[in-house]
Amino acid sequence: MKFKSQAVLAAAVAVSNVGVAQAHVFIWGVFVNGVDQGTFNGIRTPAYNGPPPRGYSNSPVKDLNSIDMRCNVLGDNQVPYTIKVAPGDNITLDWHHNNRTIADDVIDFSHHGPALVYLTPDPPTENSFVKIWEKGLYELGPTPFSPGKWATTWDIKANNGLMNFRIPANLKAGFYLIRAEMVGLHEADARFDQNSRRGAQFYPNCVQIEVVGDGTVELPEGVSFPGAYKYDDPGVHYNIYCSTERAPLAPCTDASTYKIPGPTVWSGAWPETTQVALGPVTGPITATRWSSWIQQSVVTTATYDQAGSPVPVATSRYTASWSLAYAAPTASPAL
């Protein structure tokens, strides 16, 4: 990414590695075969979108043509830690809202929708994102307008924020990004390109991994972000209230025909994934006050006065800048 000053870059890096109160959902931790890798380790946490106490991390991405569809805002920014995995490993992503505890509400129950996982070499290229897991509407309600069971709300939220999948068998060693995503369809009866106040809400988040071992299988051609989803895709422009208790304002499509956005799951992915027993969480479980945020590509850095209120001291411009070749992450610059 590009900033005018190294100081602002340092602050943005710091903000991308902490939690936040009043947040939308994002990944707080990664378990490998049940072992926690440490809160925020390896995770390219999205930037905050405003100052405390009302700013939050991981605003939904609704512009399907935005580069933020890859890994959200600051998704191009490497983090110092990369998680080592092996083919066949069980991965559990720990999604949360306000804190990393079982008391956290994870995501609002109105945000029904699918959940998806893609894998791409790091850095991504055109058509490099390969879908390895997905779950959408998996159980219809007893009547046309009674609640159906959706991945975001009835699976991941009900399971304390846990999303489970496996690293593909015999996958070739190298550096990859996991692109995990939850989608809220509660305003998807409208299209964002026609009504910018509404539209499907996408919550992408990326994790840096290094696959080790002597695997020989390479990922096939996949899809690009942006580009994989279109505004008129039936899984993007969809009246969620066809599968919930609220009577629709317009005729509904049969909820059983809902099609998850994007390509089909790669045939080389595991056909089934089960949850494994998890060990204890390692690292902080609560939010940390932040000192930088990004609004409409403007980075603001602040200090705090004696009353604890943020005082802006510098601004700069943020432009996502994805590398074309892999480079090992460096330590975060000192603040």
Side-chain angles (χ1 to χ4, degrees):
M1 70 184 135
K2 299 176 181 177
F3 290 93
K4 287 185 178 178
S5 73
Q6 195 66 20
V8 175
L9 170 59
V13 170
V15 76
S16 70
N17 287 299
V18 294
V20 56
Q22 301 180 344
H24 280 89
V25 66
F26 61 108
I27 301 170
W28 285 56
V30 180
F31 293 86
V32 179
N33 298 323
V35 178
D36 186 28
Q37 303 301 296
T39 301
F40 301 120
N41 277 347
I43 302 164
R44 297 187 179 183
T45 305
Y48 298 109
N49 73 346
R54 300 189 181 280
Y56 50 82
S57 186
N58 201 3
S59 297
V61 181
K62 300 198 293 184
D63 181 355
L64 300 185
N65 299 314
S66 168
I67 191 64
D68 296 338
M69 282 295 294
R70 274 192 176 181
C71 295
N72 218 312
V73 180
L74 287 184
D76 57 313
N77 179 50
Q78 287 182 311
V79 292
Y81 188 80
T82 299
I83 298 171
K84 281 187 168 57
V85 300
D89 278 353
N90 288 280
I91 307 299
T92 304
L93 302 181
D94 197 10
W95 293 79
H96 284 285
H97 185 195
N98 289 328
N99 54 71
R100 198 181 180 194
T101 71
I102 61 173
D104 183 56
D105 64 353
V106 182
I107 189 171
D108 192 271
F109 193 70
S110 66
H111 289 33
H112 301 293
L116 312 87
V117 176
Y118 293 83
L119 194 62
T120 176
D122 184 13
T125 59
E126 288 297 309
N127 300 321
S128 67
F129 288 87
V130 176
K131 188 186 287 186
I132 62 170
W133 180 86
E134 67 178 9
K135 192 169 186 176
L137 176 63
Y138 62 94
E139 185 176 322
L140 294 175
T143 68
F145 306 124
S146 60
K149 293 186 176 182
W150 290 84
T152 55
T153 47
W154 284 85
D155 181 11
I156 296 170
K157 176 182 173 68
N159 199 27
N160 300 315
L162 302 179
M163 176 189 283
N164 303 285
F165 60 95
R166 295 181 71 180
I167 301 299
N170 202 30
L171 184 65
K172 187 176 180 178
F175 294 95
Y176 296 83
L177 288 177
I178 294 168
R179 180 191 180 274
E181 176 178 49
M182 291 218 267
V183 184
L185 298 176
H186 50 295
E187 295 182 343
D189 56 321
R191 291 171 39 158
F192 173 76
D193 62 332
Q194 297 174 349
N195 182 353
S196 62
R197 294 190 176 188
R198 297 179 62 79
Q201 297 185 1
F202 297 86
Y203 297 90
N205 210 171
C206 290
V207 179
Q208 296 172 186
I209 62 169
E210 180 185 4
V211 175
V212 298
D214 56 1
T216 59
V217 174
E218 297 186 359
L219 292 176
E221 182 178 6
V223 295
S224 296
F225 285 101
Y229 306 154
K230 305 298 182 185
Y231 290 113
D232 58 358
D233 287 349
V236 173
H237 184 209
Y238 179 79
N239 188 347
I240 192 72
Y241 304 111
C242 292
S243 64
T244 63
E245 68 279 5
R246 189 184 303 179
L249 300 178
C252 281
T253 302
D254 182 359
S256 64
T257 64
Y258 177 76
K259 184 180 184 303
I260 298 173
T264 58
V265 172
W266 175 37
S267 61
W270 292 88
E272 296 183 2
T273 300
T274 57
Q275 183 174 334
V276 299
L278 302 181
V281 167
T282 302
I285 60 173
T286 56
T288 302
R289 186 172 66 173
W290 64 102
S291 59
S292 290
W293 55 88
I294 300 176
Q295 291 179 323
Q296 298 181 340
S297 299
V298 176
V299 183
T300 300
T301 305
T303 58
Y304 289 88
D305 61 22
Q306 292 183 344
S309 299
V311 179
V313 295
T315 60
S316 188
R317 295 288 300 180
Y318 163 75
T319 302
S321 180
W322 285 85
S323 299
L324 299 179
Y326 181 80
T330 57
S332 298
L335 295 176

